[in-house]
Amino acid sequence: MAQPFHLAIPVSNLANAEAFYGELLGCEKGRSDSQWIDWNFFGHQLVTHCVEKMPSPPSHNGVDSHAVPVPHFGVVLDMPQWQALADKVSAADIEFVIEPYIRFKDQPGEQATMFFMDYCGNALEFKAFASIEQLFATD
């Protein structure tokens, strides 16, 4: 099992963070204070810190003919989890930055991917592989 990562991100409103990470994504809420909330983000520790002003919106980088927002974060799910999340996000009328699709089709590293923003403008990517061995494949 991989070690869990810790990531702290800015949010402009903790109620929006609770609605997005707690209600929409179903992350379990951990410790919290008036300015931050810990989340169990798919087994990793994500902390949403309330800030007065959000950083600049993400820039974009071309990957597989799509404009990928940078920075972004997310997790690798299995295919059924990925599809269930794609369906849940679609049903919630969240606008995709990049609609769910198969990237690098028939190439090393072929993966299902999707990008969307949280309610505060942080970019997230969720991906899945038919074979997890493709995660770091180069050929």
Side-chain angles (χ1 to χ4, degrees):
M1 179 177 154
Q3 293 295 317
F5 68 77
H6 163 84
L7 177 65
I9 62 168
V11 297
S12 56
N13 180 298
L14 289 179
N16 286 347
E18 288 192 82
F20 187 84
Y21 293 98
E23 295 170 27
L24 178 67
L25 295 186
C27 297
E28 181 182 344
K29 185 176 175 180
R31 293 176 304 275
S32 65
D33 197 310
S34 62
Q35 294 297 305
W36 55 268
I37 301 172
D38 280 348
W39 299 100
N40 179 346
F41 186 76
F42 302 88
H44 302 280
Q45 185 187 40
L46 176 68
V47 185
T48 49
H49 285 274
C50 194
V51 297
E52 286 184 29
K53 183 179 179 206
M54 288 294 289
S56 299
S59 297
H60 290 84
N61 191 338
V63 178
D64 195 34
S65 301
H66 289 82
V68 170
V70 178
H72 65 264
F73 70 97
V75 294
V76 177
L77 303 172
D78 64 30
M79 282 294 197
Q81 289 173 311
W82 182 87
Q83 188 60 60
L85 181 59
D87 294 344
K88 187 174 189 178
V89 170
S90 292
D93 291 326
I94 301 293
E95 182 179 343
F96 287 99
V97 174
I98 298 175
E99 297 271 343
Y101 84 106
I102 302 299
R103 174 193 286 166
F104 307 132
K105 185 83 172 141
D106 299 322
Q107 298 176 49
E110 178 178 306
Q111 60 196 258
T113 188
M114 63 180 142
F115 288 80
F116 51 91
M117 307 288 240
D118 72 10
Y119 295 151
C120 296
N122 295 296
L124 290 92
E125 176 186 19
F126 290 89
K127 56 175 69 179
F129 295 83
S131 170
I132 195 62
E133 287 78 28
Q134 290 296 303
L135 181 62
F136 298 109
T138 59
D139 52 69

